[in-house]
Amino acid sequence: MKTAFVTGGSRGIGKAISLKLGSSFNVAVGYASSKDLAEDTVKEITASGGNAMSVHIDVTDASLVDKAFTSIEQQYDGVDVLINNAGITKDNILPRLKDTDWDDVINTNLSGAFRSSQRSIKNMLKKKWGRIVFISSIVGITGNQGQANYAASKAGLIGLSRSISKEMGSRNITANVVAPGYIDTDMTSFLSNDEKNNIIEQLSIKRIGTPEDIANIVSFLCSDESEY
Ligand code: NDP
């Protein structure tokens, strides 16, 4: 059985992706600080008959990224599917955006995905098969007030993914981006009901997206059906 590694698999979208992939892959559920939640996700997968492990990863630290992949390699036969899902926001309008707000968001969302992707490629090249999925955001395409750092990080993932797909396509390794709009998770829990209703008014389907909506498309992009 192939193995999928979901960074930020402890909560929200990453958790839904981990659960969905649990029926087809061994799943390594990555967490930075939410160990208990990651272990709950593992229990849910194993209770449904799947194989899963929790693994600590801080995508901002190359040595911890390497350590996470090494511990997955000790349990399973390397990472075949990487879901670059870990992400943070540190919102402010440009005049008030601190250097650290910029650096932290770019370092986690963009450089973190680069580190994990680079580390994952070794095994995928050896197996001549791989799937990398980046969880970007609609604001990486449209921009957003108060989110220059976040939007830049998410736009960067699109260039990173397209470049990997050009470098690796001939070796059966695909790279794809999913760019969700507002999804109901901890990250968007600060929105008031009025704000949520304003968002819903602009949507074609009149509800806020769920983590499972994203997990469904990610699951397809990781499958054999998504080879081209
Ligand atoms: P949550 O805030 O619910 O979860 C974020 C996840 O990222 C957690 O599992 C967290 O781990 C992990 N994480 C944070 N920092 C690090 C780090 N340094 N190293 C490793 N893992 C880390 O977010 P969502 O589920 O809402 O978002 C998941 C992804 O989807 C993000 O990339 C986000 O930008 C993107 N997205 C979200 C949208 C939304 O509306 N919710 C819309 C578009 C995109 P832990 O809990 O262990 O600290």
Side-chain angles (χ1 to χ4, degrees):
M1 192 181 243
K2 292 187 171 94
T3 299
F5 183 19
V6 184
T7 67
S10 50
R11 296 189 275 131
I13 294 172
K15 175 174 182 169
I17 293 171
S18 299
L19 294 176
K20 180 80 186 173
L21 295 183
S23 55
S24 326
F25 297 95
N26 303 316
V27 182
V29 178
Y31 66 89
S33 55
S34 312
K35 186 175 188 201
D36 292 351
L37 295 180
E39 281 172 2
D40 289 347
T41 308
V42 167
K43 279 186 202 143
E44 284 187 54
I45 294 170
T46 51
S48 314
N51 300 312
M53 66 184 283
S54 63
V55 58
H56 178 258
I57 181 167
D58 180 347
V59 296
T60 65
D61 182 329
S63 66
L64 294 178
V65 171
D66 183 55
K67 202 170 156 199
F69 275 85
T70 303
S71 72
I72 299 166
E73 283 156 3
Q74 281 160 1
Q75 177 127 350
Y76 303 123
D77 188 24
V79 171
D80 307 288
V81 170
L82 172 67
I83 314 299
N84 284 300
N85 166 77
I88 59 167
T89 53
K90 289 202 172 181
D91 296 353
N92 222 327
I93 54 168
L94 194 61
R96 294 196 193 137
L97 200 62
K98 298 193 190 92
D99 271 13
T100 51
D101 298 334
W102 174 269
D103 290 343
D104 290 350
V105 169
I106 297 290
N107 194 19
T108 305
N109 298 4
L110 179 57
S111 307
F114 154 70
R115 289 181 194 102
S116 303
S117 302
Q118 191 182 46
R119 179 60 178 78
S120 74
I121 280 291
K122 248 195 274 180
N123 183 62
M124 294 178 187
L125 283 173
K126 199 171 81 190
K127 303 246 194 86
K128 296 193 174 60
W129 193 95
R131 299 279 184 268
I132 301 179
V133 179
F134 296 87
I135 308 301
S136 174
S137 164
I138 190 70
V139 309
I141 299 162
T142 61
N144 199 21
Q145 290 170 5
Q147 290 199 306
N149 51 355
Y150 182 76
S153 73
K154 295 298 186 180
L157 291 178
I158 297 171
L160 174 59
S161 177
R162 285 191 164 143
S163 302
I164 293 173
S165 73
K166 284 182 196 289
E167 289 183 14
M168 300 295 158
S170 62
R171 283 85 183 278
N172 273 330
I173 299 168
T174 65
N176 285 284
V177 171
V178 174
Y182 283 93
I183 303 298
D184 196 10
T185 68
D186 294 344
M187 193 176 266
T188 49
S189 57
F190 65 91
L191 289 169
S192 67
N193 280 340
D194 278 354
E195 285 169 320
K196 282 189 183 166
N197 287 333
N198 285 338
I199 291 165
I200 291 168
E201 260 175 44
Q202 296 164 46
L203 301 176
S204 313
I205 302 213
K206 299 294 174 199
R207 64 170 175 84
I208 297 273
T210 65
E212 290 72 28
D213 290 320
I214 305 309
N216 288 333
I217 181 66
V218 169
S219 167
F220 168 70
L221 292 171
C222 298
S223 69
D224 283 326
E225 284 76 24
S226 174
E227 66 178 6
Y228 188 72

